Amino acid sequence: MPWAVTRLGFQRQFAYPQAALWGLITNSFFGLLRVAVLLALFGTRPQVAGYTPQDAITYTGLTQAFIMAFSLFGWFDFMRVIHRGEVTSDLLRPASLLGFWAAQDAGRALGQLVLRGLPMLLIFGLIWGLNWPPGPLAWVQVALSVLLAWACGFLFRFLVNCAAFWSPDAVGFGRFAWAVLGLGCGFLMPLAFFPEGFRAVLAWTPFPAMLNTTVELWVGVTSGAAAWTALGTQLGWTVALLLACQVTLRAGLRRLEVAGG
């Protein structure tokens, strides 16, 4: 069942290839603007907070590539299902509700990575060149980090969507959450560029694990023993968010039953 749902979620992404193409063009344009802003920040300096100009270009290419795969601009699918009452039919499926949605989102994320993520990296590589992980171990660490970043991000998005159990209009919660996510995960700017105090606060949140960790492992800002520590932190936040989702979902379904759903 989960594999079938994942496959279906993957196939759905190819239903509208023209939309994917125009999305890729739009992302490329904004990627160009972001590169210009970051390079202007460097000026004549060869390095800023451990990043070289080439690292900054790679960072931009990676973050643009993961926009859709990680749903960094928002995700309201489960929220809509709750508001429309369709969640009751989802409960009849021969799989856990959270597992069903995780499998579906995994397929969606993989499809978006193939359709828009990999072509984005190719475009950046052809125009500016990219820094690549230096060896097999680094590639393994990056692959694990991508998987954990998706899992951590999905669980956070699912948790936010669960607000619909208690609010008839939870979209506002979602929009606020996506704004915080965009800042805290390192999409708007590498977290290394922020003041130390702000980074210390973010270190106590799951947001860096949803994107920034992956980028820093890719460009080599985090390496050696620190790389395994970063992966452990991602795994820890994923487990914590999984538990939070299970508790919140259970409470939300109980409220739905009490309300006559």
Side-chain angles (χ1 to χ4, degrees):
M1 173 68 174
W3 289 111
V5 173
T6 300
R7 185 173 64 252
L8 182 59
F10 177 81
Q11 293 171 345
R12 282 177 177 171
Q13 307 312 305
F14 294 84
Y16 302 101
Q18 289 184 338
L21 174 62
W22 286 109
L24 179 63
I25 293 173
T26 302
N27 284 357
S28 300
F29 173 73
F30 282 103
L32 173 64
L33 295 182
R34 295 181 68 204
V35 166
V37 170
L38 280 178
L39 292 183
L41 177 65
F42 277 83
T44 59
R45 288 174 291 183
Q47 193 176 91
V48 174
Y51 282 74
T52 65
Q54 195 63 37
D55 289 337
I57 291 172
T58 303
Y59 152 83
T60 307
L62 286 172
T63 52
Q64 290 294 119
F66 286 128
I67 284 177
M68 296 304 296
F70 291 169
S71 293
L72 297 177
F73 288 167
W75 182 80
F76 298 97
D77 293 9
F78 186 57
M79 190 179 294
R80 295 190 188 101
V81 165
I82 296 172
H83 283 155
R84 292 197 297 254
E86 296 171 4
V87 66
T88 53
S89 61
D90 282 351
L91 292 171
L92 300 176
R93 301 179 189 275
S96 72
L97 186 60
L98 180 56
F100 169 78
W101 279 92
Q104 185 172 251
D105 194 71
R108 180 207 58 78
L110 182 59
Q112 287 297 324
L113 189 61
V114 171
L115 268 176
R116 294 172 65 165
L118 296 182
M120 179 64 62
L121 291 179
L122 178 62
I123 290 171
F124 267 74
L126 291 175
I127 297 177
W128 292 288
L130 295 174
N131 289 340
W132 301 93
L137 178 60
W139 275 107
V140 169
Q141 291 173 333
V142 167
L144 289 173
S145 182
V146 169
L147 179 61
L148 289 170
W150 164 78
C152 196
F154 164 74
L155 291 168
F156 172 73
R157 289 183 276 115
F158 190 88
L159 188 62
V160 171
N161 275 241
C162 283
F165 284 115
W166 288 271
S167 172
D169 186 12
V171 174
F173 292 104
R175 288 174 178 165
F176 175 76
W178 312 145
V180 173
L181 172 63
L183 177 66
C185 75
F187 173 75
L188 298 179
M189 189 73 68
L191 296 187
F193 290 8
F194 286 101
E196 184 176 350
F198 185 67
R199 295 201 310 271
V201 172
L202 286 177
W204 291 94
T205 73
F207 301 119
M210 299 176 192
L211 179 65
N212 189 72
T213 299
T214 301
V215 172
E216 292 193 344
L217 287 171
W218 182 297
V219 301
V221 173
T222 301
S223 60
W228 294 111
T229 300
L231 287 170
T233 301
Q234 280 187 295
L235 178 59
W237 277 116
T238 300
V239 172
L241 285 170
L242 174 60
L243 294 175
C245 282
Q246 290 175 333
V247 171
T248 305
L249 181 59
R250 192 177 300 116
L253 293 175
R254 189 182 305 116
R255 185 180 188 280
L256 188 66
E257 292 172 0
V258 170

